Amino acid sequence: MTYVVTENCIACKYTDCVEVCPVDCFYEGENTLVIHPDECIDCGVCEPECPADAIRPDTEPGMEQWVEFNRKFSEQWPVIVTKKDPLPEAEERDGEEGKMEKYFSEAPGEGG
């Protein structure tokens, strides 16, 4: 099992999760985070830290696409280990449907 970041992180990018991760397996895109599925040790400490409820175990139905999404972008984006402010529109966009199509950017974040 591994944990993955799902669509609700897009356009929010809360980073509470990165501070508690013991193995630094979060990677930062311009407007979302991902978890490297091969680096995640399945400890689960990140899941309750996410205000947007965007971190899910890969054992839930329909998570296969998110495992591949997380794998792809964790290999392209810089690691992030320090908490940053969420995106300015995070509160309004939390829970919004269709965020992948509307807002997702493949551009890397700054990391850090």
Side-chain angles (χ1 to χ4, degrees):
M1 185 177 88
T2 187
Y3 284 83
V4 292
V5 176
T6 61
E7 182 173 33
N8 207 40
C9 185
I10 299 169
C12 289
K13 198 166 82 169
Y14 291 103
T15 57
D16 306 64
C17 52
V18 303
E19 282 198 322
V20 299
C21 180
V23 294
D24 301 335
C25 65
F26 281 87
Y27 292 80
E28 183 184 16
E30 180 179 35
N31 67 358
T32 194
L33 301 175
V34 292
I35 296 171
H36 194 300
D38 296 336
E39 296 173 3
C40 177
I41 60 169
D42 315 324
C43 67
V45 296
C46 59
E47 187 180 20
E49 296 299 317
C50 180
D53 194 32
I55 300 174
R56 312 301 312 155
D58 71 345
T59 53
E60 288 187 0
M63 289 296 117
E64 298 82 8
Q65 72 177 22
W66 292 108
V67 172
E68 291 313 309
F69 174 87
N70 279 248
R71 181 182 313 283
K72 176 181 178 180
F73 291 103
S74 65
E75 292 173 357
Q76 298 175 21
W77 294 343
V79 70
I80 178 172
V81 297
T82 306
K83 183 176 177 179
K84 300 178 180 181
D85 290 335
L87 295 176
E89 65 273 12
E91 282 190 38
E92 306 105 66
R93 301 246 164 95
D94 185 4
E96 186 178 325
E97 296 290 321
K99 290 167 64 168
M100 177 66 95
E101 295 77 23
K102 292 181 204 173
Y103 309 118
F104 176 67
S105 167
E106 291 190 16
E110 297 173 3

